[in-house]
Amino acid sequence: MEQDLKHRLNNSVSEEVIAFIQLKTNEAMEQVWGLLHARYEDLKLLDESMPDKPTKEDQTNYLKEFFRLTDPARVSDDLKKAIGFTSIESDYVDFINSMSSQEYGEIFKRYIYPTHFFNGLKNAIVHHIDQLTTSLKDYAEMIGKHAILLDTLNKGKRDKAFIKGGASLLGMLIGIPFAGAGVGALMGGNDESQINDSLNKVFKNWNTYIEQFNKFIHSLEKNYRLAMMTIYGGTIMRISDQFQAMGFSFAEMSLLEFQYYLTLSEKERKETREWIEETTKGITELIKRKSWKEALSVSQKLFHIVKQRPITSRTKLHEGKSGLYMAHVYYYSSYQEALLEEHRNGHIDSFYTMTKKLYNDMPLLVQDKDVVKDFSSSGHLLLRFIKESLKRKETESLKVTIEYLERVEQRGEKEGYYPGELPGSIKDFSQQFKAYLLIEKFLEKVYSFGDSNEDPDEPTVHLSRKSLKELKKMDDDIGIRDELSKFIKKEYIKSILLPWRGVSFTWLKENKKKVAISLFILSLLLSGITYGNELLNQGKNVLGNVSWPFSSETSSEQEEQPLIHVKITSEFGNIRSEPSLTSGVVYSVDKAGVLKFLNEEQKDQDGRLWFKVQTADGTEGWISSKIVKKVEE
């Protein structure tokens, strides 16, 4: 079975399972030795206490204590307690319950075995107990025969008999100094030869029992480890098979903390990567053809399909990039290219409104290097938005970029960043996010937005002269001279005169350089991953020219759609991050609350219908249809 674990699980997971099994075995054997240790120590002390020239009293006391400590009834009772292993079942049930709280953990509860299964395992563990019991029985019989002999020899002197019941085990490998000729002399009298022979048989049978016990303990450890391998290793392998059927596999595991992380299986990873790559090719083609409505629709669907599958979202699919990050790059690119086109066409109001909405909604960062070669970098959109806000004197709107970065930081601290979202060094960071670095500094210096208090634990992120030159060119291309233009020029001159000066990105902490695995927990248990052809075909084949969906040219059919709200019908209601009772609460509303319905519905695994809603302050989430009603306006 150990070879099966190594073959069917990845190295880190199989090593973790094997180490956990060995730990369980060691703990059990330590418990066995702990219960027997006291008796062992007593016999050891007894042997060591005998003086080199023992008196008759010393010899008599030794034999009395020896027979007391090796009394068969006590030996048997202690042994039964030691190898009872009464906690095997309860330990395993605790293990299953703890693991079941993890992602897709309900699968673990399929493997809570009945009590007779554990009883069978315990019987298998101690299958050599009969042989050991026989040896102990032989020892007991020899004690009995010796007692009869003494009783006969002493006739009516039973008060001098020294065989007393009591105590337990264990004198393993303890040398008995009287197991030879002349032992009978310890008893005195005229029957030394008979007593000597009788005691020799007693000691011989005790030593036989000790030999059998040592063999038994060795086999006990092997059998116990095999039992642990059967229940824990077997369970992990069966559950792994279940996950494989769903397209998942164990990525990492920490059994002492009852935690594991899932990733896509190799087959599912390959198919998912191909699906995303083919879909994004379609999105790229739609963007190049300026088919904005289709590009936005396909990229949005791609993003939401991946987002609803946490394992797909965080699994690295291509060049260290996760599924959700890859989807987000094209989701962002579709919006950015469409918005820049709006700006070029003079639809400034539409550009401004939808850009602000984009920054309000964006959940991830996008590195410029991952944007399609012929598309614009993030600075082209960001600078135009900031300059338009300045032109309109809507200074509060400038905060939307800071809020976006703070939202990303909070998500990263709570759940981790997605592979691909952050570069591996401060230098790369300053290059990939130079526009955000610049705007953060601009808003801090000119408008006192953000935290101006420097944190000594934060790294200083430098904007290179090259980066500032690129940003200056973007600003020059826009052609509007304003406060931002002056600030960029000033920073560029500083970079020439004072090249060591840096710009710090206040929300970037040292530990953010490491890309953590996101721990989003999806409640759609056992749903698997299925992709319809509908999305893929739309990305590949729908290449017609359509109007921009946010401009004044929007179809009258869209304009005539009624606005729908939902009202709370209970005393209060919870808005959750996902359509599930097990997901986190993001907002609570009372009976007076009215929420905007976002035209999305979804059923959970129990058939409960959920509505996607938005609060007055812009918080989005899901609320159960059982506690609300729709109201059209």
Side-chain angles (χ1 to χ4, degrees):
M1 184 173 287
E2 189 166 327
Q3 291 303 315
D4 285 343
L5 280 171
K6 293 178 179 179
H7 177 71
R8 292 163 62 178
L9 304 174
N10 70 44
N11 287 339
S12 65
V13 173
S14 63
E15 288 174 1
E16 173 71 15
V17 175
I18 292 170
F20 180 75
I21 288 167
Q22 189 60 53
L23 178 65
K24 298 291 288 185
T25 302
N26 292 344
E27 287 177 348
M29 297 313 298
E30 285 176 7
Q31 185 177 12
V32 169
W33 283 110
L35 288 169
L36 303 176
H37 183 72
R39 203 60 56 213
Y40 167 80
E41 287 297 318
D42 286 346
L43 277 164
K44 182 180 178 182
L45 288 173
L46 176 64
D47 187 49
E48 292 174 350
S49 66
M50 180 62 66
D52 293 336
K53 296 180 180 180
T55 64
K56 182 177 180 181
E57 183 180 4
D58 290 333
Q59 296 162 347
T60 302
N61 289 336
Y62 178 94
L63 285 176
K64 287 181 180 180
E65 186 65 9
F66 175 79
F67 281 111
R68 187 183 72 82
L69 291 173
T70 60
D71 175 66
R74 297 297 181 88
V75 169
S76 180
D77 286 345
D78 272 4
L79 189 57
K80 287 176 182 177
K81 291 177 183 177
I83 63 175
F85 302 126
T86 55
S87 66
I88 289 180
E89 181 176 1
S90 60
D91 287 350
Y92 178 76
V93 171
D94 290 344
F95 169 82
I96 290 294
N97 289 335
S98 297
M99 295 293 276
S100 68
S101 66
Q102 301 296 302
E103 193 171 28
Y104 289 90
E106 287 294 322
I107 292 179
F108 278 84
K109 290 197 172 181
R110 299 178 182 179
Y111 297 94
I112 294 183
Y113 305 113
T115 299
H116 64 77
F117 169 79
F118 295 97
N119 290 337
L121 276 178
K122 284 189 280 187
N123 290 335
I125 293 171
V126 296
H127 76 278
H128 291 150
I129 192 68
D130 290 340
Q131 186 176 4
L132 186 65
T133 304
T134 299
S135 297
L136 187 58
K137 183 180 179 182
D138 291 343
Y139 172 69
E141 288 178 353
M142 288 310 304
I143 291 178
K145 290 178 181 178
H146 185 69
I148 294 171
L149 173 65
L150 292 177
D151 191 59
T152 301
L153 292 176
N154 289 305
K155 297 180 181 178
K157 301 177 182 178
R158 288 189 178 86
D159 57 315
K160 295 182 181 180
F162 57 82
I163 299 176
K164 308 290 183 183
S168 303
L169 191 67
L170 177 65
M172 288 183 222
L173 305 178
I174 297 298
I176 305 300
F178 311 107
V183 175
L186 295 173
M187 299 300 300
N190 299 317
D191 301 286
E192 296 177 2
S193 178
Q194 285 181 280
I195 295 174
N196 178 67
D197 290 342
S198 179
L199 276 175
N200 266 311
K201 290 177 181 178
V202 170
F203 291 139
K204 181 180 178 181
N205 277 274
W206 174 253
N207 289 334
T208 298
Y209 171 75
I210 293 303
E211 291 172 5
Q212 293 296 333
F213 185 84
N214 285 327
K215 291 179 181 178
F216 171 74
I217 287 293
H218 180 68
S219 67
L220 181 68
E221 183 170 355
K222 290 174 61 178
N223 293 338
Y224 193 92
R225 188 175 188 277
L226 179 59
M228 295 301 100
M229 187 70 73
T230 299
I231 58 175
Y232 290 100
T235 295
I236 295 296
M237 282 195 292
R238 292 186 187 94
I239 291 172
S240 177
D241 291 342
Q242 295 278 316
F243 282 139
Q244 287 285 342
M246 297 166 60
F248 308 145
S249 64
F250 287 115
E252 298 291 339
M253 187 173 285
S254 177
L255 293 179
L256 290 179
E257 297 176 357
F258 306 108
Q259 290 183 350
Y260 60 84
Y261 301 110
L262 294 174
T263 187
L264 295 182
S265 65
E266 287 303 317
K267 179 176 180 294
E268 189 70 24
R269 188 194 305 265
K270 179 176 180 295
E271 293 177 354
T272 302
R273 182 179 66 250
E274 292 173 351
W275 167 71
I276 290 180
E277 288 177 347
E278 192 168 0
T279 303
T280 53
K281 285 179 183 177
I283 295 171
T284 302
E285 186 64 26
L286 288 167
I287 294 173
K288 288 180 178 179
R289 294 182 180 231
K290 298 185 178 181
S291 299
W292 308 120
K293 186 174 182 179
E294 280 76 10
L296 290 164
S297 176
V298 175
S299 62
Q300 190 173 46
K301 286 182 180 178
L302 172 64
F303 178 77
H304 285 296
I305 285 175
V306 176
K307 183 182 178 184
Q308 290 172 2
R309 293 161 173 79
I311 299 171
T312 304
S313 295
R314 65 173 178 255
T315 297
K316 294 180 182 179
L317 297 178
H318 181 64
E319 296 180 348
K321 294 188 281 287
S322 66
L324 190 67
Y325 178 72
M326 292 172 68
H328 181 63
V329 168
Y330 285 86
Y331 173 77
Y332 171 77
S333 295
S334 298
Y335 271 89
Q336 176 169 268
E337 295 305 311
L339 289 166
L340 290 173
E341 181 71 9
E342 281 288 271
H343 192 276
R344 286 190 291 270
N345 292 337
H347 301 149
I348 305 302
D349 287 344
S350 174
F351 161 83
Y352 185 71
T353 301
M354 294 313 301
T355 302
K356 184 176 180 180
K357 184 178 187 303
L358 176 63
Y359 287 129
N360 272 321
D361 294 345
M362 279 176 64
L364 275 74
L365 296 171
V366 173
Q367 296 193 56
D368 283 341
K369 68 180 180 62
D370 295 321
V371 175
V372 175
K373 183 179 179 181
D374 296 330
F375 294 170
S376 303
S377 68
S378 58
H380 288 86
L381 182 65
L382 181 59
L383 264 61
R384 282 168 173 79
F385 172 75
I386 296 297
K387 294 174 83 68
E388 185 61 30
S389 297
L390 294 173
K391 179 182 177 182
R392 294 168 183 250
K393 297 182 179 180
E394 296 183 4
T395 54
E396 284 300 308
S397 295
L398 297 172
K399 293 181 179 178
V400 72
T401 57
I402 294 177
E403 292 167 354
Y404 159 51
L405 298 176
E406 288 176 345
R407 187 170 64 251
V408 170
E409 178 194 16
Q410 290 167 4
R411 192 213 74 225
E413 289 179 345
K414 181 180 179 182
E415 301 160 351
Y417 292 96
Y418 286 91
E421 189 177 3
L422 292 182
S425 70
I426 295 296
K427 181 180 179 181
D428 289 342
F429 190 96
S430 67
Q431 175 60 30
Q432 298 304 316
F433 302 110
K434 53 183 174 289
Y436 293 106
L437 284 163
L438 176 78
I439 296 303
E440 184 203 46
K441 199 67 175 178
F442 169 69
L443 296 178
E444 177 190 323
K445 294 295 185 182
V446 178
Y447 289 94
S448 300
F449 290 164
D451 185 6
S452 59
N453 296 322
E454 294 185 2
D455 187 340
D457 294 329
E458 290 177 357
T460 299
V461 182
H462 294 271
L463 275 180
S464 66
R465 186 187 309 171
K466 178 182 177 182
S467 294
L468 286 165
K469 186 177 181 179
E470 291 172 358
L471 292 167
K472 184 175 181 300
K473 184 179 185 306
M474 290 182 199
D475 183 74
D476 291 341
D477 290 342
I478 297 173
I480 301 174
R481 312 308 297 172
D482 53 20
E483 291 175 295
L484 179 59
S485 301
K486 295 176 183 177
F487 183 81
I488 294 174
K489 183 178 179 180
K490 182 179 178 182
E491 290 297 313
Y492 179 62
I493 293 173
K494 285 181 181 178
S495 72
I496 297 173
L497 300 178
L498 304 170
W500 60 87
R501 292 178 65 91
V503 182
S504 65
F505 205 11
T506 59
W507 65 272
L508 178 69
K509 304 292 193 300
E510 188 72 49
N511 62 348
K512 302 301 189 305
K513 293 185 292 183
K514 297 180 180 179
V515 179
I517 295 177
S518 174
L519 300 180
F520 291 126
I521 302 301
L522 181 64
S523 63
L524 303 177
L525 298 175
L526 314 181
S527 62
I529 298 181
T530 57
Y531 305 121
N533 292 326
E534 170 181 354
L535 175 62
L536 185 58
N537 291 336
Q538 187 173 9
K540 290 164 59 179
N541 304 323
V542 182
L543 301 174
N545 293 320
V546 294
S547 61
W548 164 247
F550 303 122
S551 68
S552 57
E553 300 171 358
T554 304
S555 68
S556 59
E557 179 181 350
Q558 288 178 315
E559 292 177 347
E560 292 173 359
Q561 289 182 350
L563 182 63
I564 300 176
H565 287 87
V566 294
K567 294 192 68 174
I568 306 296
T569 57
S570 60
E571 289 300 318
F572 70 95
N574 288 328
I575 300 175
R576 299 182 180 273
S577 58
E578 298 292 340
S580 166
L581 290 176
T582 60
S583 63
V585 176
V586 297
Y587 203 94
S588 293
V589 290
D590 57 23
K591 196 169 185 178
V594 178
L595 307 167
K596 181 181 177 182
F597 177 58
L598 297 181
N599 297 315
E600 285 189 53
E601 300 179 358
Q602 190 167 315
K603 286 186 177 180
D604 60 22
Q605 61 177 4
D606 298 322
R608 184 181 291 100
L609 182 64
W610 294 80
F611 297 148
K612 190 168 187 181
V613 296
Q614 185 181 63
T615 65
D617 67 359
T619 301
E620 292 184 4
W622 297 82
I623 194 164
S624 171
S625 62
K626 293 185 177 181
I627 59 171
V628 296
K629 65 178 180 179
K630 291 182 181 179
V631 179
E632 290 188 2
E633 294 187 356

